[in-house]
């Protein structure tokens, strides 16, 4: 396995990083949960750590928060290594998955907890707690106990309790996981609004790719303890660099082939397709090319094309989903239902075309 | 439909009935009989008669005030010591016990496999004048040469503490074990050191266990007489000893009944005050 050490690309050398992870590793007995990752998180961004369960995203967050001690590596917070410091000496605050509101304290006391530990009292304390409750839209509930609030309200209080301390970085550990779908959608937009309003760096752990795409400026995709790819949502979707990223974010058609030129790949059935030159840079031999199902057009007129027969179709209102058997492998295509009666029957032969610009290249499958 | 509805209406009462009947037959009726007997006068040879003999109460209080006070002093001391000893143990088992939790809990309950009386008799041997405890305490000058531990108040308090420790440790363990560790993490995240996190989060959340444990220890300890009888001397007798001797040796039922009733009333009063002070919701969590 190669040590992947992506760094937030495009950031100028003078950029201010809130967090730098350098060679961070965490082992639990024999299991390597986080495997030598390095990552720069720049100031004021909404970062999402995205990946399937067990990919190491939560362990990474817990190391930043100070709840797990790294086996190796550095965690720089504003340029200072905090890897060995206890949580209470770090300028970060966490919104826990289960909210972790103190059940014996009122909402006011919950939100005031961090400020009081830092010696803030009296009118200043009341004002800051009041402002924080207002920020999350729950002013006036300060005398209640956590159990008297709904799940969504508790979630907001957990957010207020962390933000009121104005930390350098806010860590969010799957904070929306316990909410129902409608509330989750609402909170996604709300979190984004709050992040813009306060301008604090957010690091948000989630396994929900849609949630990450909706909220984050930058997404870090993790798998098996290492970082697969870092980038803006559109960059990750349009130019995934690994088969894992291509499959984890949305649906991809991956077709095996061999590089036969600067910008040409020969598929298994002999068809040659053109891909962006940059996508092949540094690669040779066997690769897989990828096209998103919505980028495929029925009929010719595009530089790349492939023919096959319709094996399955599913009408889903706004579009119809077809799976075609082609000599190069099965291909999924989404066709917009922009005309009536344009359905294609199973068994019919179709030619699909797509632009080279919409083609990405990932490593060949090792064995399946 | 009407029948079903009626059945459902009756169900809670039917479910309550066995317990209620039990309490009525074996608690309320005997309690009434206790009060009735405490107001009788007479003696075993000529029989007792109900005469509204309030004097039984006055003479119990006047004659045995010292024993009453000592009962609450010893029970209180034993409760506090048991709390101080059990809390770290329960804390350690709950948070650091890992896969040994159940085994460690078994160790706490292990003394219960031996009869109360035998355990207390064993303490008589442990604290005896030539035992290793006295020798050790003499060596470190906590006991003067030739001094005793047995037949002192110290021995009685030690015995009570030992015998009731599991009643303190188990509720403490249960309430500590239920505390969500993410709350302690959250306190650390919000700038609380380990000690502050304990004071502000862990300890307040374990209060239901503290309340349950102190009540389960204090109430039976206040009425205990075995420890004082086997480990103490007449100068360290508790009210339980007096009630025992009035009832079993002097056959003075009215006096024993009056003392039992006073003991019960005082304990009830103290429990109510305690519950009000810490808040009754602490009892139920």
């Amino acid at each position: 396995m190669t040590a992947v050490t992506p760094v937030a690309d495009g950031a100028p050398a003078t950029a201010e990083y809130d967090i730098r992870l350098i060679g961070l590793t965490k082992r639990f007995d024999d299991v390597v949960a986080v495997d030598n990752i390095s990552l720069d998180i720049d100031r004021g961004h909404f970062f999402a750590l995205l990946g399937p369960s067990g990919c190491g995203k939560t362990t990474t967050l817990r190391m930043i928060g100070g709840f797990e001690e790294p086996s190796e590596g550095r965690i720089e917070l504003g340029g200072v290594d905090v890897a060995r410091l206890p949580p209470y000496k770090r300028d970060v605050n966490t919104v826990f998955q289960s909210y972790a509101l103190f059940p014996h304290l009122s909402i006011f006391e919950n939100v005031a907890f961090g400020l009081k530990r830092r010696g803030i009292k009296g009118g200043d304390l009341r004002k800051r707690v009041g402002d924080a409750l207002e920020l999350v839209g729950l002013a006036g509930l300060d005398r209640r106990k956590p159990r008297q609030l709904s799940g969504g309200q508790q979630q907001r209080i957990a957010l207020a309790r962390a933000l009121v301390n104005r930390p350098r970085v806010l860590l969010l550990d799957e904070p929306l996981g316990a909410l129902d779908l409608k509330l989750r959608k609402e909170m996604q937009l709300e979190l984004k609004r709050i992040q813009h309003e306060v301008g604090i760096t957010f690091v948000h752990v989630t396994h929900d790719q849609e949630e990450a795409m909706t909220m984050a400026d930058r997404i870090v995709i993790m798998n098996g303890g290492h970082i697969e790819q870092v980038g803006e949502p559109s960059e990750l979707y349009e130019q995934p660099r690994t088969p894992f990223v291509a499959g984890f974010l949305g649906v991809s058609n991956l077709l095996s082939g061999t590089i036969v030129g600067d910008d040409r790949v020969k598929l298994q059935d002999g068809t040659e397709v053109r891909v962006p030159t940059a996508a092949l840079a540094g690669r040779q031999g066997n690769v897989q090319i990828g096209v998103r199902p919505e980028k495929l057009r029925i009929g010719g007129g595009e530089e790349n094309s492939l023919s096959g027969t319709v094996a399955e179709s599913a009408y889903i209102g706004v579009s119809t989903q077809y799976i075609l058997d082609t000599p190069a492998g099965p291909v999924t295509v989404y066709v917009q239902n922009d005309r009536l009666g344009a359905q294609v029957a199973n068994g019919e032969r179709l030619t699909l075309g797509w632009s080279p610009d919409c083609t990405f290249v990932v490593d060949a499958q090792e064995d399946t | 439909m009407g029948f079903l509805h009626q059945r459902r209406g009756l169900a809670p009462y039917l479910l309550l009935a066995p317990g209620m009947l039990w309490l009525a037959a074996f608690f309320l009726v005997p309690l009434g009989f206790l009060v009735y007997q405490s107001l009788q006068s007479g003696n075993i040879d000529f029989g007792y008669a109900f005469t509204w003999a309030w004097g039984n109460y006055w003479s119990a209080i006047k004659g045995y005030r010292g024993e009453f006070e000592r009962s609450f002093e010893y029970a209180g001391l034993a409760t506090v010591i048991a709390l101080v000893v059990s809390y770290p143990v329960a804390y350690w088992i709950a948070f650091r016990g890992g896969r040994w939790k159940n085994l460690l809990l078994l160790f706490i309950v292990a003394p219960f496999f031996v009869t109360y009386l035998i355990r207390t008799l064993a303490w008589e041997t442990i604290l005896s004048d030539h035992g290793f405890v006295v020798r050790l305490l003499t060596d470190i000058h906590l006991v003067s040469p030739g001094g005793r531990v047995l037949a002192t108040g110290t021995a009685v308090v030690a015995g009570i503490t030992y015998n009731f420790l599991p009643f303190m440790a188990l509720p403490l363990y249960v309430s500590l074990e239920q505390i969500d560790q993410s709350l302690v993490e959250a306190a650390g995240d919000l700038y609380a050191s380990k000690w502050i996190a304990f004071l502000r989060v862990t300890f307040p959340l374990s209060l239901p266990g503290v309340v349950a444990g102190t009540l389960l220890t204090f109430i039976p300890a206040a009425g205990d007489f075995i420890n004082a009888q086997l480990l103490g001397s007449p100068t360290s007798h508790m009210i339980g000893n007096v009630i025992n001797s009035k009832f079993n040796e002097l056959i003075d039922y009215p006096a024993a009944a009056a003392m039992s009733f006073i003991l019960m009333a005082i304990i009830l009063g103290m429990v109510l005050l305690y519950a009000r002070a810490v808040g009754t919701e602490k009892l139920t969590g």
Side-chain angles (χ1 to χ4, degrees), chain A residues 62 88 93-94 101 104 118, chain B residues 183 185 188-191 200:
Chain A
R62 288 175 60 79
Y88 65 91
N93 289 108
T94 306
L101 297 178
H104 59 301
R118 295 186 145 186
Chain B
L183 296 175
E185 286 187 347
D189 188 64
L190 297 165
Y191 317 114
R200 300 278 171 188

Side-chain angles (χ1 to χ4, degrees), chain B residues 19-226:
Chain B
M20 287 299 170
L21 284 175
W22 180 276
L23 272 180
F26 298 109
F27 180 69
L28 281 182
V29 171
L31 190 67
F33 189 71
L34 184 80
V35 175
Y36 178 70
Q37 189 143 53
S38 73
L39 295 172
Q40 289 179 345
S41 57
N43 60 56
I44 189 69
D45 297 325
F46 297 99
Y48 298 107
F50 185 79
T51 57
W52 292 105
W54 291 106
N56 291 335
Y57 283 85
W58 306 134
S59 47
I61 294 171
K62 259 191 246 148
Y64 300 101
R65 196 177 156 168
E67 279 82 357
F68 271 115
E69 284 173 356
R70 203 172 294 124
S71 291
F72 293 113
E73 183 197 327
Y74 286 0
L77 269 171
T79 304
V80 171
I81 298 170
L83 177 64
V84 170
V85 171
S86 305
Y87 201 99
V89 175
Y91 183 95
W92 197 87
I93 297 177
F95 296 137
R96 306 270 186 277
R99 60 205 174 94
W100 303 109
K101 267 184 194 176
N102 289 334
L103 185 70
L104 292 165
L105 283 176
L106 187 69
F107 284 152
I108 288 187
V109 189
F112 277 179
F113 289 97
V114 178
T115 334
Y116 187 45
L117 207 57
I118 301 284
R119 274 184 279 148
T120 313
L121 282 168
W123 269 78
E124 204 178 327
T125 312
I126 293 170
L127 298 179
S128 64
D129 295 344
H130 302 290
F132 70 94
V133 172
V134 172
R135 219 178 310 141
L136 183 79
L137 291 177
T138 313
D139 285 349
I140 60 172
H141 298 283
L142 277 178
V143 168
S144 52
R148 315 187 63 188
V149 173
L150 199 65
T152 64
T154 310
V156 180
V157 172
I160 295 175
T161 307
Y162 164 77
N163 275 313
F164 291 102
L165 197 79
F167 293 114
M168 180 67 86
L170 291 180
L172 281 177
Y173 167 79
V174 170
S175 70
L176 283 165
E177 216 262 339
Q178 283 171 348
I179 296 176
D180 180 357
Q181 276 309 286
S182 69
L183 296 175
V184 181
E185 286 187 347
D189 188 64
L190 297 165
Y191 317 114
S193 64
K194 289 224 163 104
W195 174 239
I196 297 289
F198 173 78
L199 281 185
R200 300 278 171 188
V201 177
T202 310
F203 184 71
L205 289 175
S206 72
L207 274 179
V210 174
V211 172
T214 46
L215 290 180
L216 286 176
T217 310
F218 183 81
I219 295 172
D224 185 79
F225 68 95
I226 297 285

